[in-house]
Amino acid sequence: AILVKGVKQVAAPITVKVPAAGGYEVSGPVAITDAVLNTADRDFTQVTSTIEMLVSSPLKDFKTDKIDFQFLDMPGTISTQFSMTGDAYTIHPTQVNLEVGTIAARTSISRKSDKKLEGKLEVEQLQVTDILRALTPDEEQLYGGTVQSFETTFSAVNGNLRDTLEAEGSFALAELILDGKSVEDEVLKAANDMPILEPAKKSDEDELEPAQLKGAFEIGEQKIEIDKAQAPFKHFTIEANGEVTFDKDVDLTVEVVFLEETAGSLGLGVTPFTEIFGGLGKATIPIAVEGTLPDVEVRSDNLEWAKRATGISLVEAVVTTLRDAGAAVVETAEDSMIDDDQKKDRAVG
């Protein structure tokens, strides 16, 4: 519902028709100046617009190319069209332009018993803090960053979003902050807990151009599943998979992946490890991100890393590398089965 809390001026040169076939039709522009509107307990001030209106028995339609408004401390404009029929409420493609970014949306809500809600939402260049201030103005803001792009299609039952919301889409985020800390820096700090690796550091180029974390997601059964999110840096890539529930429980596996051209430099001069990493073409350091927002722990998973070193155990990888290098330090099971006499005969021969 929209509540008009005040308006400086209204002009409405409308036309009313009563067709011979019956019914009615009210049409014309409605111009409002410097109004205060409230919806979802949020005030929009300095609202000024001209809205083209058509109200008849089968259709009610409202359209405007521009609504000027002020929300919190952000000025913006909206172009939109809203219509209502006996079957559905429809918000046609709508564009919201703010100083800091844009929002595009369309949606429809069934007026039938199924109450089906479906639509599409696109966001570009919005700050996480601004989004959260709009949604939860009375809560302490513990998160930050930039939503460089976000796109999703969704469906649900109106009035029961939590249990019925289903969605899929993609995102690109940058400079994420959790409880005052850089998520990016916390992941690299955990990766550097690995005792045999040189520190994973961002290059000068990385510092100048913030990395984008890009990925896909699905929403259903009261959780968000994140798939193959990646943030590329000059010498490594951060990858993330896992889920976040509607109750804010986080269970993510984040990996710091060093690619072939840098993997060989990670062994601190210890040949077996250098050969393992270089031979694989990459070294992957798993990071566990677990907890309930905002209390989330970011830590390196050393045991998991050891298991995954080459797709086999770390010990097997070292043995294989030494054997391939021709090192005379590995006695195979086959050699151990040769008895002393056979060894002597072979030595005489």
Side-chain angles (χ1 to χ4, degrees):
I2 298 177
L3 173 65
V4 180
K5 299 175 69 173
V7 60
K8 183 176 181 180
Q9 183 177 348
V10 177
I14 60 176
T15 300
V16 179
K17 295 180 180 180
V18 181
Y24 62 92
E25 181 179 292
V26 180
S27 63
V30 177
I32 58 175
T33 303
D34 203 11
V36 178
L37 306 181
N38 180 278
T39 182
D41 294 325
R42 310 287 190 272
D43 280 344
F44 291 78
T45 62
Q46 301 178 32
V47 179
T48 299
S49 180
T50 298
I51 301 170
E52 292 293 334
M53 177 181 67
L54 172 62
V55 178
S56 64
S57 50
L59 172 68
K60 298 172 179 60
D61 188 80
F62 305 87
K63 180 180 180 180
T64 179
D65 293 329
K66 185 180 180 183
I67 300 175
D68 293 299
F69 68 90
Q70 183 92 12
F71 179 65
L72 299 176
D73 56 352
M74 297 181 290
T77 64
I78 301 175
S79 60
T80 187
Q81 180 180 358
F82 170 79
S83 60
M84 181 174 66
T85 66
D87 294 330
Y89 302 101
T90 303
I91 299 176
H92 301 275
T94 294
Q95 181 85 16
V96 182
N97 297 304
L98 303 168
E99 283 188 339
V100 293
T102 63
I103 301 171
R106 60 173 173 78
T107 188
S108 65
I109 304 173
S110 173
R111 299 184 69 185
K112 299 179 181 179
S113 58
D114 61 6
K115 297 182 179 179
K116 186 176 182 179
L117 180 154
E118 58 185 1
K120 183 175 183 179
L121 175 66
E122 298 178 12
V123 172
E124 289 187 1
Q125 298 299 326
L126 287 186
Q127 296 300 308
V128 172
T129 51
D130 290 334
I131 297 172
L132 294 178
R133 277 198 308 148
L135 297 176
T136 56
D138 299 327
E139 294 185 12
E140 182 182 2
Q141 302 306 324
L142 301 174
Y143 313 98
T146 303
V147 180
Q148 296 185 331
S149 67
F150 177 88
E151 181 176 333
T152 183
T153 55
F154 58 87
S155 65
V157 174
N158 191 34
N160 188 17
L161 294 180
R162 181 182 176 88
D163 294 332
T164 64
L165 178 61
E166 294 183 351
E168 61 180 20
S170 61
F171 60 86
L173 311 174
E175 300 179 293
L176 292 180
I177 301 296
L178 173 59
D179 200 12
K181 298 177 182 178
S182 165
V183 174
E184 192 176 278
D185 290 346
E186 289 299 299
V187 168
L188 295 182
K189 179 181 176 182
N192 290 332
D193 287 341
M194 290 296 298
I196 65 169
L197 300 180
E198 294 179 351
K201 295 181 179 179
K202 291 183 284 186
S203 68
D204 292 340
E205 292 93 332
D206 293 334
E207 296 290 355
L208 291 173
E209 182 90 21
Q212 288 188 346
L213 178 66
K214 293 183 178 181
F217 69 90
E218 291 185 358
I219 299 177
E221 299 179 348
Q222 299 185 25
K223 63 184 179 183
I224 305 168
E225 294 187 359
I226 298 171
D227 183 41
K228 298 178 181 178
Q230 294 188 336
F233 294 82
K234 182 176 181 179
H235 298 306
F236 54 86
T237 298
I238 294 177
E239 301 180 354
N241 295 276
E243 66 180 40
V244 180
T245 71
F246 286 8
D247 292 323
K248 301 182 180 180
D249 295 327
V250 177
D251 184 7
L252 297 175
T253 297
V254 178
E255 297 178 335
V256 180
V257 181
F258 294 83
L259 302 182
E260 184 172 4
E261 56 268 26
T262 54
S265 68
L266 299 178
L268 295 178
V270 181
T271 300
F273 292 113
T274 302
E275 294 297 327
I276 290 167
F277 293 144
L280 280 171
K282 67 178 183 178
T284 301
I285 305 172
I287 309 295
V289 181
E290 300 171 337
T292 301
L293 290 170
D295 185 17
V296 174
E297 181 184 12
V298 181
R299 58 178 174 80
S300 61
D301 193 339
N302 295 354
L303 291 178
E304 178 65 19
W305 175 84
K307 291 178 186 177
R308 289 203 234 156
T310 63
I312 54 179
S313 74
L314 184 59
V315 173
E316 289 175 300
V318 173
V319 170
T320 300
T321 300
L322 292 174
R323 180 186 293 122
D324 291 345
V329 295
V330 180
E331 185 176 17
T332 63
E334 182 180 355
D335 289 338
S336 67
M337 295 175 63
I338 301 175
D339 59 32
D340 292 340
D341 291 338
Q342 290 174 310
K343 290 181 180 179
K344 291 176 181 179
D345 291 342
R346 189 167 57 183
V348 171

